[in-house]
Amino acid sequence: MEQKSSDSGGSGSKQNVEFMFLAKTDNSRTIFTILNTLFFKKEQNVTIRFSKTGIKFTIEQSRSMQGQAILQSTIFQEYNYHGDAPAAEFSVKLKVLLDCLNIFGVGQSAIRLQIAYKSYGSALLLMLEENEVLTDCGLLTSIPETSDSELFYLKGSKIPTKIVIKSDRLKDAFDELDWSNTNVTITVSPDTPNFRLATSGTGASCQVDYPLSSEVFEIFDCKEVQSFSYKLGLLQPCVKALSIAKRTQIKINETGLLSMQHMVPGDDGQQSYIEFFILPLENDSDDED
């Protein structure tokens, strides 16, 4: 990563460069907070996809979990994509990206952010400004690794379970679990208990039930009993995202593929989305957390 700092000014020359992608926002902390939910290990790549409608950030873990953060173009004050293809895609180190976005640390003042990308193979350029102090960062980009995205594809499959639940209440349920255990079983049923989380493994057994009569559900559509187990460690990013989300949509298809989509409200009323896809244990090819 290359970094340069100056007291003020210096942004004019950047405007004269012909970029494939250029976007600006008045508050980079929102983007940092959203992308930080995807981070769960040090050496981790994130695939970035620019298009006319927004930016998608994607991470994958051992053919077991995929996470996506989607920033719609409308959350930016300025947004321009001029690529010949419908989208431009590349990878960077997620930790380096987060370190750049958080370079001014935690504070109350707004941090302006400019994101720029010139052409395939070039660096991803970030320019951050706080109180007239500028910092430029250039991140090395690489060709994305081969994705197993077909494993996490819900469209076209039978989906017996579709739920919308208040995110803070779902976080309360996960917080009650014993995280020293290895696995969590999610059970959804038209009958009581309608929604159950239960952990098993080396720790103490624990379960949390939410009946349909509770006020946690905004939508509850369950056509048949479904019960699948997942690695608890793979759900850690999902649970981290609950702390910044307002509501969460849960879908489970007939093979047990779990989708958790979090709606994250912005200060200006705009919405961003964080979505995780997790394979059940019987389809999981990796035994590591």
Side-chain angles (χ1 to χ4, degrees):
M1 178 182 70
E2 181 185 8
Q3 241 173 250
K4 300 177 182 178
S5 299
S6 60
D7 291 334
S8 63
S11 61
S13 61
K14 290 185 179 295
Q15 303 301 322
N16 297 327
V17 178
E18 183 65 28
F19 290 111
M20 178 190 298
F21 176 83
L22 181 68
K24 298 179 182 180
T25 178
D26 289 338
N27 194 344
S28 68
R29 289 195 174 95
T30 299
I31 295 177
F32 169 80
T33 301
I34 291 172
L35 296 185
N36 194 45
T37 64
L38 299 179
F39 180 75
F40 64 95
K41 65 178 183 179
K42 186 175 181 180
E43 295 298 324
Q44 182 179 349
N45 288 333
V46 59
T47 297
I48 301 176
R49 180 181 176 89
F50 295 134
S51 69
K52 291 186 180 298
T53 58
I55 312 174
K56 182 166 72 172
F57 301 82
T58 304
I59 56 105
E60 289 188 9
Q61 169 66 10
S62 303
R63 297 171 58 87
S64 303
M65 183 268 280
Q66 183 185 84
Q68 300 178 355
I70 299 174
L71 306 179
Q72 300 184 82
S73 61
T74 51
I75 75 168
F76 296 90
Q77 281 70 50
E78 182 178 330
Y79 189 97
N80 297 285
Y81 174 69
H82 302 294
D84 295 330
E89 191 173 78
F90 55 87
S91 291
V92 300
K93 294 293 184 183
L94 179 55
K95 186 178 187 306
V96 176
L97 175 60
L98 291 172
D99 287 345
C100 291
L101 290 173
N102 197 41
I103 201 163
F104 286 113
V106 178
Q108 298 299 318
S109 59
I111 298 176
R112 294 182 177 89
L113 170 66
Q114 175 179 287
I115 306 172
Y117 182 65
K118 188 174 182 180
S119 60
Y120 291 103
S122 64
L124 176 66
L125 304 177
L126 305 180
M127 185 177 71
L128 298 99
E129 178 186 358
E130 182 184 36
N131 297 326
E132 298 186 347
V133 176
L134 297 180
T135 296
D136 293 345
C137 301
L139 285 72
L140 295 177
T141 61
S142 60
I143 298 173
E145 299 176 358
T146 302
S147 172
D148 295 306
S149 57
E150 69 278 358
L151 296 173
F152 310 105
Y153 198 59
L154 274 175
K155 189 175 181 179
S157 64
K158 180 183 177 182
I159 306 176
T161 296
K162 297 179 183 179
I163 296 172
V164 177
I165 188 171
K166 296 177 181 177
S167 300
D168 57 345
R169 298 299 300 276
L170 183 58
K171 185 178 185 300
D172 290 342
F174 275 107
D175 287 345
E176 290 292 324
L177 301 179
D178 185 349
W179 282 81
S180 66
N181 279 306
T182 308
N183 306 326
V184 59
T185 299
I186 300 177
T187 301
V188 187
S189 172
D191 304 313
T192 304
N194 302 101
F195 184 82
R196 169 175 289 176
L197 300 177
T199 54
S200 60
T202 57
S205 298
C206 178
Q207 71 180 38
V208 179
D209 294 346
Y210 279 142
L212 187 56
S213 57
S214 65
E215 298 180 354
V216 303
F217 301 107
E218 296 185 10
I219 296 174
F220 189 92
D221 182 7
C222 178
K223 297 179 174 60
E224 60 187 55
V225 177
Q226 288 191 287
S227 186
F228 294 96
S229 295
Y230 306 88
K231 289 181 181 177
L232 193 54
L234 291 178
L235 269 76
Q236 286 181 340
C238 306
V239 176
K240 184 163 63 170
L242 289 171
S243 63
I244 63 171
K246 183 176 182 180
R247 61 177 62 90
T248 296
Q249 181 185 73
I250 298 174
K251 294 182 180 180
I252 305 175
N253 76 356
E254 57 189 339
T255 64
L257 175 60
L258 170 67
S259 164
M260 295 179 66
Q261 184 187 72
H262 308 288
M263 189 278 284
V264 181
D267 295 335
D268 55 359
Q270 300 286 343
Q271 297 178 359
S272 300
Y273 296 90
I274 308 169
E275 187 166 14
F276 295 93
F277 301 90
I278 302 175
L279 292 175
L281 284 174
E282 54 266 35
N283 291 337
D284 197 337
S285 60
D286 181 25
D287 293 330
E288 297 179 4
D289 287 338

